[in-house]
Amino acid sequence: MWTESFVRLQRPTDSSAITGHRSAEPAIIRYMPADASDYDESRAPDGTLWWELSYRPGTQRPFGQVGRVAAYLWFRKELGDTFTMRELRSALGSDLEGSSEHLNRRLRELRDAGWEIPSNKDDRQLPPDTYRVEVKGAKLWIDEERAAQQAFRPSQRVRRIVLDRDGSRCRVCGIGVGESYPGEPNAKARLTIGHRVPQERLRSRGAADDIDNWRTECSRCNETVRNELPDPEQYDEVVAEIRQLRTAELRQLSSWMQSGERSRSRLDQAYDRARNLSHNEREQLMSYLQRTLGES
């Protein structure tokens, strides 16, 4: 059994460490089982399953849909398992907003928190309205992890600026949104934005973060393993190699740098435009190409 009490901790500010007075910062709640042998991570202090809660324990604050969805998938799904929107609505209760767009928004928030949840748009082998749990990210039903994610979450305005600046292409591997990964026709790229140098690393150095440290990344290049990699190369390291290039290569590199991407042929550009057509228009274009090539 869980004890009915819980420990509410507040982080003192720097001034509180000096004056002994605490600031009114949001509380971080840590749940303590009465008996460690009875500990069940899937349940809140009152014994309710996390994904069935309406309010955060000990408060009148709504628990939040994204925390409920995260808890359900964490405890009820193994890696590789699939689920549908109908299943989520059934499992999380009648008070869950039923619109697919609302639920898709919650899944996007999970992806921003390190979860990898491909859909039929990413993997054509999945049936429509079906999703697969490939990587479990932050435990967003826990106060500390939710607060940490919110602290690092970019605004929609920042997202738009970074995606537009980078031409909606992954700055690591170069893939565009919706394109297939090489050799994997059923695996479609999904774009997000991430840090060139992880924020934790910047903070440890006392360095400030800014929009120049954000870049467009596909979900694969955005994986958390990047935190274990060394920092990206700096100017002096890169220019040492560039000095070895021939004049013609320098001109080509200069052209790429000015355009913000490696130059693409007219065929590449035509494909970029064609793949953004509607389904019916793509079918119409395919028929045109087949007639033109005498393949129909």
Side-chain angles (χ1 to χ4, degrees), residues 3-172:
T3 179
E4 294 181 357
S5 62
F6 53 84
V7 179
R8 184 186 296 268
L9 300 178
Q10 289 182 302
R11 294 194 186 97
T13 61
D14 292 340
S15 60
S16 68
I18 298 173
T19 65
H21 297 292
R22 293 185 180 274
S23 66
E25 290 188 7
I28 296 297
I29 301 174
R30 292 187 179 147
Y31 306 102
M32 308 293 291
D35 183 343
S37 63
D38 294 328
Y39 182 63
D40 182 354
E41 284 188 300
S42 68
R43 295 183 181 274
D46 64 358
T48 304
L49 293 168
W50 284 108
W51 54 91
E52 294 180 355
L53 288 177
S54 297
Y55 298 95
R56 299 204 70 78
T59 77
Q60 293 301 310
R61 292 182 292 123
F63 186 57
Q65 292 182 13
V66 68
R68 295 168 63 187
V69 173
Y72 176 78
L73 296 178
W74 186 281
F75 293 111
R76 286 294 182 262
K77 296 295 178 180
E78 300 294 333
L79 296 183
D81 286 352
T82 60
F83 64 93
T84 64
M85 290 298 187
R86 177 176 294 183
E87 177 184 349
L88 285 182
R89 293 192 194 100
S90 175
L92 275 63
S94 58
D95 62 322
L96 184 74
E97 296 183 43
S99 163
S100 292
E101 177 55 32
H102 281 105
L103 288 173
N104 273 312
R105 195 174 301 148
R106 303 292 84 81
L107 295 184
R108 287 196 293 271
E109 291 181 46
L110 289 185
R111 294 184 182 108
D112 288 342
W115 290 68
E116 291 187 26
I117 309 174
S119 67
N120 171 261
K121 293 181 179 179
D122 309 299
D123 185 346
R124 294 301 183 186
Q125 294 181 339
L126 286 170
D129 192 39
T130 301
Y131 302 79
R132 183 173 61 245
V133 179
E134 289 194 349
V135 174
K136 295 180 180 181
K139 301 177 181 179
L140 297 181
W141 64 96
I142 297 176
D143 284 352
E144 290 94 333
E145 296 209 25
R146 188 182 71 261
Q149 288 297 319
Q150 290 173 343
F152 298 132
R153 185 179 300 165
S155 68
Q156 288 302 316
R157 177 177 175 274
V158 169
R159 289 177 185 279
R160 288 194 298 271
I161 291 173
V162 173
L163 288 168
D164 289 346
R165 181 198 67 193
D166 294 341
S168 293
R169 288 192 167 275
C170 177
R171 303 301 292 180
V172 181

Side-chain angles (χ1 to χ4, degrees), residues 212-227:
D212 196 46
N213 192 41
W214 289 100
R215 66 182 177 187
T216 301
E217 299 174 351
C218 69
S219 58
R220 292 188 177 182
C221 294
N222 184 248
E223 292 176 358
T224 54
V225 69
R226 187 182 68 253
N227 290 336

